[in-house]
Amino acid sequence: SARVSLEVAHENDIDLEGACEASLACSTCHLIIADEYYGKLPEPTDEENDMLDLAFGLTDRSRLGCQVKLTPELDGITAALPAATRNIQAGK
């Protein structure tokens, strides 16, 4: 199965938090996807959009790193980290 960008970030010591361990209960793995790759991603789910609404520095290219599955079409994908994150977990 395809790996997600959150896993790859952690394996490469990139400071992408992921406080809820990919359970779609926070927005701490918020990424801003480069224009040329954003259109190649599937649409975010309602659950992902709900968490993105809590993200700091939300943009029209924002996604959660735990939901971006790295497929061959995304080879070379680039993304930026927002200037800050908000650790507001749902249900806590």
Side-chain angles (χ1 to χ4, degrees), residues 38-61:
Y38 189 83
K40 297 179 181 183
L41 298 173
E43 290 293 315
T45 63
D46 290 342
E47 294 84 0
E48 181 180 358
N49 278 327
D50 287 347
M51 289 299 103
L52 282 169
D53 286 343
L54 303 174
F56 179 88
L58 187 65
T59 76
D60 59 354
R61 293 181 289 109

Side-chain angles (χ1 to χ4, degrees), residues 1-79:
S1 69
R3 298 171 65 216
V4 296
S5 54
L6 178 63
E7 295 169 334
V8 173
H10 288 174
E11 290 169 5
N12 290 282
D13 298 319
I14 296 170
D15 191 20
L16 188 60
E17 187 174 347
C20 75
E21 299 179 354
S23 66
L24 273 174
C26 76
S27 63
T28 59
C29 65
H30 172 209
L31 293 172
I32 302 166
I33 307 297
D35 274 334
E36 61 269 26
Y37 291 97
Y38 189 83
K40 297 179 181 183
L41 298 173
E43 290 293 315
T45 63
D46 290 342
E47 294 84 0
E48 181 180 358
N49 278 327
D50 287 347
M51 289 299 103
L52 282 169
D53 286 343
L54 303 174
F56 179 88
L58 187 65
T59 76
D60 59 354
R61 293 181 289 109
S62 291
R63 292 298 299 266
L64 296 181
C66 68
Q67 300 302 301
V68 176
K69 290 183 173 49
L70 299 175
T71 61
E73 299 80 42
L74 297 175
D75 187 41
I77 190 172
T78 57

